[in-house]
Amino acid sequence: MDTHLDFADLGLSPVALDLGFFTLKWYALSYLAAFVTGWLYLRRLVRLPGAPIAEAHLGDLFSYVGFGVIVGGRIGYCLVYQPAIWLTPWRVLELWNGGMSFHGGLAGTLIAIWLFARAHNLDLLRVYDYVACATPFGLFLVRIANFVNGELWGRPSSLPWAMIFPGAGDGIPRHPSPLYEAFLEGVLTMAVLAWMFWRTDARLRRGRLVGAGLLIYGVTRFLLEFTRQPDAGLEHLSWGLTMGQTLCLPMVAAGLWLLICPPARAPAPAAASGSQPGSPRPGRAQ
């Protein structure tokens, strides 16, 4: 007798609120909740002495990050996983139909923070460190939303917790891979970075926290690709890896480099003694 759980029996719906004239989906709420929880946590982090940014910067920072996540995530998804969409380029703007790439969102976020740090005259790598600590909240929430949507199901499995996902259309029990990702990419990364931040001096070492975050995500996502069903046509590339695994390799390399050969601390300008993060440097117009 088949004892595997059918996802449909969970009674989950991608719609959180339906008023007829207005529909709110859990996926959209997960992004909103990710920004709110990330902002609250980051506000707590920057209150400690030695933070690279001031609390007053957070509103501006999250404006940059929000734009980078959405634009980078969508463009990354369309370029890598759905290139045919560019034949009808207006569909790239149809965010309500879903389709976001973590790796694209990461690239967009890195560029956005670079622009933010440049505009406010901040130490870029240390800003990355602090933002890295707040990122796992979003990873966890978005992956839970993926599971609620019944998407990104895993490969066939005979494990007791394997599920039959109606969207797969084959009735075969599969790994509930969004849950694996939520707890490994989200909870595990969050716990390790929190321990490093609060229990060690990692917050004062440039690149240490973002390096650990990149390494943990890259390794866990690489391994989870063995349980996650890849997008059609991207299962086994000519070099033997999936597209997800391939995109993780630069993250692993960057994480190891930042942990093993961290960049030296930038010397503080002589005139900046006693100034707050983001204070103007001499001779630079603001």
Side-chain angles (χ1 to χ4, degrees):
M1 183 176 64
D2 188 1
T3 59
H4 289 101
L5 180 65
D6 192 324
F7 178 83
D9 293 337
L10 298 178
L12 300 176
S13 169
V15 177
L17 178 66
D18 188 354
L19 300 178
F21 62 91
F22 175 76
T23 300
L24 184 61
K25 296 185 177 181
W26 287 112
Y27 191 71
L29 275 178
S30 71
Y31 274 88
L32 178 60
F35 281 111
V36 172
T37 54
W39 180 78
L40 291 173
Y41 188 60
L42 196 54
R43 185 176 67 170
R44 183 182 178 193
L45 300 185
V46 302
R47 289 176 175 174
L48 290 180
I53 58 177
E55 191 173 343
H57 289 129
L58 294 185
D60 198 16
L61 171 62
F62 273 81
S63 297
Y64 278 81
V65 169
F67 186 78
V69 167
I70 294 172
V71 174
R74 183 59 176 169
I75 292 178
Y77 173 82
C78 294
L79 285 174
V80 176
Y81 298 104
Q82 198 175 357
I85 200 173
W86 296 101
L87 297 175
T88 52
W90 58 87
R91 292 178 54 207
V92 175
L93 302 177
E94 297 177 355
L95 296 175
W96 53 89
N97 290 329
M100 298 284 282
S101 161
F102 170 80
H103 297 93
L106 174 63
T109 299
L110 294 176
I111 294 171
I113 296 175
W114 173 73
L115 292 172
F116 164 81
R118 187 171 184 271
H120 292 275
N121 197 27
L122 302 172
D123 186 326
L124 175 62
L125 197 53
R126 295 205 63 223
V127 176
Y128 281 153
D129 283 331
Y130 274 61
V131 173
C133 292
T135 300
F137 291 96
L139 294 174
F140 173 79
L141 292 167
V142 171
R143 291 312 183 197
I144 291 296
N146 289 143
F147 178 74
V148 172
N149 286 347
E151 59 191 3
L152 301 184
W153 51 80
R155 300 176 190 262
S157 171
S158 59
L159 292 172
W161 56 83
M163 295 183 183
I164 299 173
F165 288 86
D170 53 16
I172 298 175
R174 295 174 174 274
H175 287 285
S177 52
L179 294 182
Y180 300 168
E181 293 184 85
F183 287 96
L184 291 178
E185 299 169 4
V187 176
L188 175 64
T189 307
M190 186 189 311
V192 172
L193 293 183
W195 176 80
M196 291 178 65
F197 186 94
W198 296 104
R199 299 297 182 183
T200 74
D201 65 347
R203 68 185 181 87
L204 302 176
R205 295 177 176 270
R206 301 178 74 246
R208 185 62 57 88
L209 293 168
V210 68
L214 288 170
L215 180 61
I216 296 170
Y217 180 90
V219 170
T220 55
R221 175 65 184 271
F222 186 95
L223 296 175
L224 287 173
E225 283 287 311
F226 290 110
T227 68
R228 176 176 172 172
Q229 184 65 44
D231 290 72
L234 300 176
E235 300 95 336
H236 299 290
L237 302 178
S238 59
W239 47 90
L241 301 176
T242 68
M243 179 60 74
Q245 289 174 323
T246 301
L247 295 174
C248 284
L249 293 180
M251 299 179 64
V252 172
L256 286 172
W257 178 72
L258 288 170
L259 289 172
I260 298 172
C261 307
R265 298 183 186 181
S273 178
S275 62
Q276 294 297 315
S279 298
R281 289 180 184 170
R284 177 168 177 173
Q286 298 297 308

